[in-house]
Amino acid sequence: MSLSNTEIATIRASFAALRPDTSGAARSFYSHLFTLAPEVRGLFKSDMAEQGPKLMAMLGVVVGHLHVLEEILPAVRALAIRHVGYGTEPAHYAVVGQALDRMLADRLEPILATQARVAWAKAYGLLANVMIEAAEDATPAV
């Protein structure tokens, strides 16, 4: 599991471009998420004003470890298992990826957005697959 140096640099540059208004980026993400999948709104029990900073902090951790993704995989797996308890289903990961993509398109300059969306999609896909596997392993068979 790895990203190229160019992909890592692109993701880091795009995340840096989001930093001046992380609350706006988070609002954009959740707006897209709830438009794409209104049924997931009920999975968020905490105040959305608190959820946005959590999202951006987690993205910051991921961006900071792109060159060594293996180091954060235990935390990523644990996050997936926690999300099973919140009611997250494997199909939700695709919708989250779409919301992330739309947020990047909204919040970044067009040239950076095009490159960033491809790199973020690859990184998100890698991590989402790890999370789905961890969630499936943690879910008892019915």
Side-chain angles (χ1 to χ4, degrees):
M1 167 184 315
S2 66
L3 299 165
S4 72
N5 289 335
T6 300
E7 290 165 331
I8 291 170
T10 299
I11 292 170
R12 288 184 173 159
S14 63
F15 191 70
L18 296 173
R19 278 207 174 122
D21 187 15
T22 56
S23 62
R27 279 192 308 275
S28 174
F29 170 82
Y30 286 112
S31 174
H32 288 299
L33 180 63
F34 299 147
T35 298
L36 291 164
E39 69 278 6
V40 303
R41 178 62 183 93
L43 300 179
F44 292 86
K45 306 298 183 203
S46 66
D47 180 359
M48 290 309 294
E50 295 173 13
Q51 190 63 36
K54 290 178 184 178
L55 168 70
M56 298 310 290
M58 177 54 86
L59 290 177
V61 169
V62 170
V63 169
H65 289 83
L66 289 172
H67 61 294
V68 286
L69 281 176
E70 297 77 19
E71 288 184 9
I72 62 168
L73 291 184
V76 169
R77 289 184 183 102
L79 180 66
I81 293 166
R82 281 196 310 275
H83 278 76
V84 169
Y86 304 147
T88 302
E89 299 173 8
H92 293 148
Y93 287 92
V95 177
V96 168
Q98 292 172 342
L100 177 63
D101 179 66
R102 291 182 182 187
M103 179 272 290
L104 293 168
D106 287 350
R107 305 297 297 181
L108 299 174
E109 296 296 322
I111 291 173
L112 181 56
T114 300
Q115 297 167 344
R117 290 168 71 190
V118 171
W120 276 97
K122 181 176 178 183
Y124 179 77
L126 293 170
L127 293 171
N129 286 335
V130 169
M131 292 180 78
I132 290 168
E133 287 175 16
E136 289 173 346
D137 289 346
T139 305
V142 178

